[in-house]
């Protein structure tokens, strides 16, 4: 799980290089409480755990856009 956090950081860094203002909501298939949700990824505005509902997605996107 720790290596997945590094992969997320790489994705965020790459996206931010292309567009520093991009809003990023990451998603993971790991369950809540596995430790990955406790590690903040600088530059990401949110983290969703699969499966998630359309309402959860809408809330995460709205929050990311409002930051």
């Amino acid at each position: 799980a720790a290596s997945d956090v590094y992969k997320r950081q790489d994705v965020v860094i790459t996206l931010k290089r292309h567009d520093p203002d991009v809003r990023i909501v990451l998603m993971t298939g790991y369950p809540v409480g596995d430790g990955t949700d406790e590690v903040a990824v600088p530059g990401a505005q949110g983290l969703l755990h699969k499966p998630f509902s359309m309402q959860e997605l809408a809330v995460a996107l709205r929050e990311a856009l409002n930051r």
Side-chain angles (χ1 to χ4, degrees), residues 8-56:
R8 288 184 213 155
Q9 288 172 337
D10 290 342
V11 168
V12 171
I13 289 168
T14 300
L15 290 171
K16 290 287 187 176
R17 277 189 196 138
H18 290 286
D19 182 356
D21 297 324
V22 69
R23 303 291 201 260
I24 301 168
V25 176
L26 300 169
M27 66 181 83
T28 181
Y30 290 104
V32 174
D34 74 334
T36 60
D37 55 329
E38 298 165 6
V39 179
V41 177
Q45 283 70 45
L47 175 65
L48 288 169
H49 290 270
K50 293 188 265 182
F52 49 84
S53 68
M54 285 294 131
Q55 182 175 355
E56 291 169 312

